[in-house]
Amino acid sequence: MVFTGAKNLCHLNMFLQEFMLRRLKKDVLKQLPPKINTPLFVGITNADEYRRAERDFLTWLRDKSGDTAAMNAARAELITRMNALRQLAAMGKVGATCDWLKPCRDGQGKVLVFCTFTEPLEDIAECKSDSVLYTGALSSRERQDIVDNFQKTDGVCYFLGTVGAAGVGITLSAASRVAFLDLPWTPGAKMQAEDRAHRIGQTKVVEIVNVLARGTIDERMLKLLADKEFIIAQAVDGKTKNDAI
């Protein structure tokens, strides 16, 4: 059986109305300021390697990681290829992101930087000494210490976190800007990460900055997220194409 999308969403929406009470965050937390989305288009510094991986992924992976990695990837080449391109694009945006991140003392305020992959965040941490790095490799105690340090220490400007480890369950309202080096697979994962800053206690408008590189996997991921968001809106809220115009 092949699954290529969603259908009969209007019927699903009608069915859900009998069992679901839908309340949006803006309806129940009216004291929160709004979120705004800003695209930040940058060039990537590893364009040659990115294009080589894009043209012939398995050969690139064999050269980089060996025959076994290439053989394993061949079993699920599409997903493996997309993840590798996402990571390459994120790595290529590190330099531009470091340039964009301005010191807290310049009035820019604290910033959350999310990425699916650890390596780009580690590289940003090297160029920004006033940052903290939050990954799944840390203990519970270490994670809490990092959150407290970021929330309470004026000199800690940047919270660098992986989406998987830092995207849920913590409050980072000391920041009013959230940047994504890459786009997560689902709208829910992205929204959860955004809302680490957009929580009770936040008094400023929260700016969501999507760091994007034209002509890369970023454009496909952006469309993928938009398509998924529309499918969810159709099923849950009864939205139609006319509503999206």
Side-chain angles (χ1 to χ4, degrees):
M1 186 176 293
V2 177
F3 297 92
T4 57
K7 60 183 180 180
N8 298 326
L9 292 173
C10 61
H11 295 124
L12 175 59
N13 174 255
M14 290 181 358
F15 175 78
L16 289 174
Q17 300 316 303
E18 298 184 27
F19 307 97
M20 180 180 66
L21 179 62
R22 173 91 160 143
R23 292 291 183 267
L24 299 177
K25 187 176 182 178
K26 65 182 180 181
D27 298 326
V28 297
L29 294 176
K30 296 182 179 180
Q31 74 274 27
L32 277 181
K35 289 193 293 185
I36 59 173
N37 277 272
T38 304
L40 175 64
F41 290 99
V42 301
I44 56 175
T45 56
N46 57 348
D48 289 344
E49 183 180 9
Y50 181 91
R51 298 304 172 200
R52 188 160 69 90
E54 189 177 46
R55 285 192 305 269
D56 190 347
F57 171 67
L58 291 179
T59 298
W60 170 82
L61 185 61
R62 185 177 295 108
D63 293 343
K64 182 180 177 63
S65 302
D67 291 339
T68 301
M71 289 175 61
N72 291 336
R75 298 169 189 163
E77 182 177 351
L78 178 60
I79 296 299
T80 307
R81 178 177 182 271
M82 288 182 70
N83 278 332
L85 292 177
R86 289 170 67 214
Q87 184 168 10
L88 280 171
M91 289 296 298
K93 291 180 280 189
V94 166
T97 302
C98 285
D99 291 341
W100 172 75
L101 293 170
K102 305 301 181 186
C104 297
R105 62 178 178 272
D106 289 351
Q108 299 298 310
K110 297 193 175 193
V111 185
L112 311 183
V113 181
F114 283 105
C115 187
T116 303
F117 311 98
T118 302
E119 188 176 356
L121 297 175
E122 291 173 339
D123 286 354
I124 292 177
E126 289 186 8
C127 74
K128 295 295 179 183
S129 59
D130 47 354
S131 64
V132 289
L133 179 62
Y134 189 109
T135 72
L138 302 175
S139 68
S140 297
R141 180 69 262 172
E142 289 172 324
R143 295 187 192 196
Q144 189 58 53
D145 288 344
I146 285 174
V147 170
D148 292 342
N149 193 21
F150 180 76
Q151 287 284 94
K152 299 174 182 178
T153 306
D154 291 340
V156 180
C157 290
Y158 314 114
F159 181 98
L160 314 175
T162 57
V163 174
V168 295
I170 56 177
T171 295
L172 300 168
S173 55
S176 58
R177 285 192 297 167
V178 184
F180 288 87
L181 273 184
D182 72 305
L183 297 173
W185 280 109
T186 67
K190 187 172 187 295
M191 183 177 296
Q192 283 288 335
E194 294 172 1
D195 286 354
R196 297 313 93 211
H198 193 242
R199 298 175 71 78
I200 293 174
Q202 181 59 259
T203 60
K204 300 178 181 178
V205 172
V206 175
E207 182 184 17
I208 312 301
V209 179
N210 299 315
V211 186
L212 306 169
R214 296 187 192 276
T216 71
I217 191 68
D218 288 349
E219 294 178 334
R220 182 170 181 180
M221 292 298 298
L222 201 61
K223 183 180 185 306
L224 183 67
L225 281 181
D227 290 345
K228 289 181 178 180
E229 286 174 350
F230 183 58
I231 288 172
I232 294 168
Q234 284 180 291
V236 177
D237 296 321
K239 294 291 180 68
T240 66
K241 290 184 178 179
N242 289 334
D243 295 323
I245 294 175

